[in-house]
Amino acid sequence: MISADAITSRTFTTVRFKEGYSTREVDDFLDEIVDRMTTGDHSLARRIKEKTFSNVRFRGGYDIDEVDDFLDEVARGLEGDAGASTGASTAAAIPDPHETVAPEPGTSYTSDANLAAPSSDGDAAQLPW
């Protein structure tokens, strides 16, 4: 996972003559990410992926590709942490393929309706397979 310090200390190239993201919006959002990281907000990665910023031109803005790449990295780190924190419960939910499980009372693994009874003239039963 990426640390809060790495997020708050991250700098981006400032652009003026091509479109960039609003520096104020990006800085405010990075502060919001750090605040939410401390609360364990599990929706944070999704929120990062869905976030949009205003584009600016002819005034200082952050390089769009740099910001997008960094936010993708942060979101991937948060997703990995969420999976690691829920990994134990997920592993417990996956059945062991070698474990023998008895059927519920009254449950049958075969259906007699799919099997044909031998005919009266001695022919073998016609099985569906």
Side-chain angles (χ1 to χ4, degrees), residues 81-104:
D81 286 350
S85 66
T86 60
S89 62
T90 303
I94 299 172
D96 181 355
H98 304 291
E99 180 181 349
T100 303
V101 179
E104 294 286 328

mmCIF file of all heavy atoms in Angstrom, residues 81-104:
data_model
loop_
_atom_site.group_PDB
_atom_site.id
_atom_site.type_symbol
_atom_site.label_atom_id
_atom_site.label_comp_id
_atom_site.label_asym_id
_atom_site.label_seq_id
_atom_site.Cartn_x
_atom_site.Cartn_y
_atom_site.Cartn_z
ATOM 1 N N ASP A 81 -4.919 -3.973 -0.466
ATOM 2 C CA ASP A 81 -5.065 -3.996 0.986
ATOM 3 C C ASP A 81 -6.434 -4.489 1.394
ATOM 4 O O ASP A 81 -6.572 -5.236 2.352
ATOM 5 C CB ASP A 81 -4.846 -2.602 1.575
ATOM 6 C CG ASP A 81 -3.380 -2.218 1.563
ATOM 7 O OD1 ASP A 81 -2.550 -3.092 1.279
ATOM 8 O OD2 ASP A 81 -3.081 -1.052 1.842
ATOM 9 N N ALA A 82 -7.472 -4.107 0.661
ATOM 10 C CA ALA A 82 -8.822 -4.562 0.996
ATOM 11 C C ALA A 82 -8.917 -6.065 0.800
ATOM 12 O O ALA A 82 -9.525 -6.769 1.596
ATOM 13 C CB ALA A 82 -9.858 -3.844 0.124
ATOM 14 N N GLY A 83 -8.292 -6.588 -0.251
ATOM 15 C CA GLY A 83 -8.311 -8.029 -0.483
ATOM 16 C C GLY A 83 -7.524 -8.777 0.573
ATOM 17 O O GLY A 83 -7.906 -9.844 1.016
ATOM 18 N N ALA A 84 -6.413 -8.186 1.012
ATOM 19 C CA ALA A 84 -5.599 -8.834 2.042
ATOM 20 C C ALA A 84 -6.319 -8.857 3.380
ATOM 21 O O ALA A 84 -6.238 -9.814 4.126
ATOM 22 C CB ALA A 84 -4.259 -8.112 2.182
ATOM 23 N N SER A 85 -7.063 -7.784 3.673
ATOM 24 C CA SER A 85 -7.756 -7.743 4.963
ATOM 25 C C SER A 85 -8.957 -8.667 4.988
ATOM 26 O O SER A 85 -9.361 -9.131 6.036
ATOM 27 C CB SER A 85 -8.182 -6.309 5.288
ATOM 28 O OG SER A 85 -9.163 -5.873 4.374
ATOM 29 N N THR A 86 -9.545 -8.947 3.827
ATOM 30 C CA THR A 86 -10.682 -9.859 3.780
ATOM 31 C C THR A 86 -10.267 -11.250 3.320
ATOM 32 O O THR A 86 -11.084 -12.131 3.217
ATOM 33 C CB THR A 86 -11.778 -9.335 2.828
ATOM 34 O OG1 THR A 86 -11.222 -9.214 1.519
ATOM 35 C CG2 THR A 86 -12.331 -8.014 3.314
ATOM 36 N N GLY A 87 -8.984 -11.455 3.061
ATOM 37 C CA GLY A 87 -8.504 -12.732 2.548
ATOM 38 C C GLY A 87 -8.788 -13.901 3.461
ATOM 39 O O GLY A 87 -9.129 -14.981 3.007
ATOM 40 N N ALA A 88 -8.666 -13.713 4.761
ATOM 41 C CA ALA A 88 -8.897 -14.824 5.684
ATOM 42 C C ALA A 88 -10.340 -15.274 5.644
ATOM 43 O O ALA A 88 -10.634 -16.461 5.634
ATOM 44 C CB ALA A 88 -8.517 -14.396 7.105
ATOM 45 N N SER A 89 -11.267 -14.326 5.592
ATOM 46 C CA SER A 89 -12.672 -14.726 5.568
ATOM 47 C C SER A 89 -13.041 -15.338 4.227
ATOM 48 O O SER A 89 -13.855 -16.240 4.163
ATOM 49 C CB SER A 89 -13.567 -13.523 5.878
ATOM 50 O OG SER A 89 -13.403 -12.532 4.891
ATOM 51 N N THR A 90 -12.430 -14.862 3.142
ATOM 52 C CA THR A 90 -12.702 -15.436 1.836
ATOM 53 C C THR A 90 -12.161 -16.861 1.760
ATOM 54 O O THR A 90 -12.818 -17.751 1.263
ATOM 55 C CB THR A 90 -12.045 -14.584 0.727
ATOM 56 O OG1 THR A 90 -12.537 -13.254 0.847
ATOM 57 C CG2 THR A 90 -12.364 -15.125 -0.643
ATOM 58 N N ALA A 91 -10.961 -17.079 2.289
ATOM 59 C CA ALA A 91 -10.376 -18.420 2.247
ATOM 60 C C ALA A 91 -11.216 -19.400 3.050
ATOM 61 O O ALA A 91 -11.350 -20.554 2.679
ATOM 62 C CB ALA A 91 -8.953 -18.377 2.785
ATOM 63 N N ALA A 92 -11.784 -18.956 4.137
ATOM 64 C CA ALA A 92 -12.604 -19.839 4.956
ATOM 65 C C ALA A 92 -13.893 -20.216 4.238
ATOM 66 O O ALA A 92 -14.462 -21.266 4.488
ATOM 67 C CB ALA A 92 -12.920 -19.167 6.286
ATOM 68 N N ALA A 93 -14.347 -19.361 3.332
ATOM 69 C CA ALA A 93 -15.603 -19.619 2.638
ATOM 70 C C ALA A 93 -15.429 -20.592 1.473
ATOM 71 O O ALA A 93 -16.390 -21.144 0.976
ATOM 72 C CB ALA A 93 -16.189 -18.313 2.121
ATOM 73 N N ILE A 94 -14.202 -20.819 1.015
ATOM 74 C CA ILE A 94 -13.955 -21.722 -0.110
ATOM 75 C C ILE A 94 -13.852 -23.137 0.433
ATOM 76 O O ILE A 94 -13.017 -23.425 1.281
ATOM 77 C CB ILE A 94 -12.663 -21.336 -0.850
ATOM 78 C CG1 ILE A 94 -12.790 -19.925 -1.400
ATOM 79 C CG2 ILE A 94 -12.354 -22.339 -1.946
ATOM 80 C CD1 ILE A 94 -11.512 -19.376 -1.982
ATOM 81 N N PRO A 95 -14.711 -24.044 -0.051
ATOM 82 C CA PRO A 95 -14.676 -25.414 0.478
ATOM 83 C C PRO A 95 -13.419 -26.150 0.051
ATOM 84 O O PRO A 95 -12.864 -25.906 -1.006
ATOM 85 C CB PRO A 95 -15.923 -26.056 -0.125
ATOM 86 C CG PRO A 95 -16.249 -25.241 -1.319
ATOM 87 C CD PRO A 95 -15.742 -23.853 -1.044
ATOM 88 N N ASP A 96 -12.990 -27.075 0.886
ATOM 89 C CA ASP A 96 -11.853 -27.930 0.593
ATOM 90 C C ASP A 96 -12.303 -28.983 -0.410
ATOM 91 O O ASP A 96 -13.238 -29.738 -0.150
ATOM 92 C CB ASP A 96 -11.371 -28.594 1.884
ATOM 93 C CG ASP A 96 -10.161 -29.494 1.665
ATOM 94 O OD1 ASP A 96 -9.749 -29.674 0.500
ATOM 95 O OD2 ASP A 96 -9.630 -29.996 2.663
ATOM 96 N N PRO A 97 -11.680 -29.082 -1.595
ATOM 97 C CA PRO A 97 -12.132 -30.035 -2.602
ATOM 98 C C PRO A 97 -11.953 -31.490 -2.178
ATOM 99 O O PRO A 97 -12.550 -32.385 -2.757
ATOM 100 C CB PRO A 97 -11.280 -29.714 -3.827
ATOM 101 C CG PRO A 97 -10.086 -29.016 -3.296
ATOM 102 C CD PRO A 97 -10.525 -28.313 -2.049
ATOM 103 N N HIS A 98 -11.151 -31.744 -1.155
ATOM 104 C CA HIS A 98 -10.908 -33.111 -0.695
ATOM 105 C C HIS A 98 -11.820 -33.516 0.452
ATOM 106 O O HIS A 98 -11.786 -34.647 0.898
ATOM 107 C CB HIS A 98 -9.444 -33.266 -0.280
ATOM 108 C CG HIS A 98 -8.496 -32.908 -1.377
ATOM 109 N ND1 HIS A 98 -8.345 -33.670 -2.515
ATOM 110 C CD2 HIS A 98 -7.674 -31.849 -1.540
ATOM 111 C CE1 HIS A 98 -7.465 -33.113 -3.312
ATOM 112 N NE2 HIS A 98 -7.039 -32.002 -2.753
ATOM 113 N N GLU A 99 -12.609 -32.566 0.917
ATOM 114 C CA GLU A 99 -13.497 -32.836 2.044
ATOM 115 C C GLU A 99 -14.730 -33.601 1.564
ATOM 116 O O GLU A 99 -15.314 -33.293 0.535
ATOM 117 C CB GLU A 99 -13.929 -31.504 2.671
ATOM 118 C CG GLU A 99 -14.849 -31.644 3.842
ATOM 119 C CD GLU A 99 -15.265 -30.282 4.399
ATOM 120 O OE1 GLU A 99 -14.680 -29.264 4.005
ATOM 121 O OE2 GLU A 99 -16.169 -30.270 5.219
ATOM 122 N N THR A 100 -15.114 -34.626 2.310
ATOM 123 C CA THR A 100 -16.303 -35.395 1.993
ATOM 124 C C THR A 100 -17.491 -34.739 2.673
ATOM 125 O O THR A 100 -17.454 -34.464 3.866
ATOM 126 C CB THR A 100 -16.183 -36.846 2.488
ATOM 127 O OG1 THR A 100 -15.018 -37.416 1.892
ATOM 128 C CG2 THR A 100 -17.408 -37.651 2.121
ATOM 129 N N VAL A 101 -18.511 -34.476 1.891
ATOM 130 C CA VAL A 101 -19.694 -33.812 2.427
ATOM 131 C C VAL A 101 -20.878 -34.741 2.259
ATOM 132 O O VAL A 101 -21.156 -35.222 1.165
ATOM 133 C CB VAL A 101 -19.961 -32.476 1.677
ATOM 134 C CG1 VAL A 101 -21.198 -31.802 2.215
ATOM 135 C CG2 VAL A 101 -18.752 -31.580 1.770
ATOM 136 N N ALA A 102 -21.577 -35.004 3.351
ATOM 137 C CA ALA A 102 -22.758 -35.871 3.300
ATOM 138 C C ALA A 102 -23.941 -35.070 2.783
ATOM 139 O O ALA A 102 -24.064 -33.882 3.067
ATOM 140 C CB ALA A 102 -23.065 -36.405 4.693
ATOM 141 N N PRO A 103 -24.817 -35.698 2.004
ATOM 142 C CA PRO A 103 -25.990 -34.967 1.508
ATOM 143 C C PRO A 103 -26.952 -34.665 2.648
ATOM 144 O O PRO A 103 -26.965 -35.340 3.671
ATOM 145 C CB PRO A 103 -26.615 -35.935 0.502
ATOM 146 C CG PRO A 103 -26.125 -37.283 0.924
ATOM 147 C CD PRO A 103 -24.774 -37.076 1.537
ATOM 148 N N GLU A 104 -27.721 -33.612 2.460
ATOM 149 C CA GLU A 104 -28.772 -33.279 3.418
ATOM 150 C C GLU A 104 -29.745 -34.451 3.468
ATOM 151 O O GLU A 104 -29.952 -35.135 2.459
ATOM 152 C CB GLU A 104 -29.516 -32.027 2.950
ATOM 153 C CG GLU A 104 -28.666 -30.767 2.960
ATOM 154 C CD GLU A 104 -28.424 -30.252 4.361
ATOM 155 O OE1 GLU A 104 -29.300 -30.428 5.227
ATOM 156 O OE2 GLU A 104 -27.351 -29.690 4.598
#
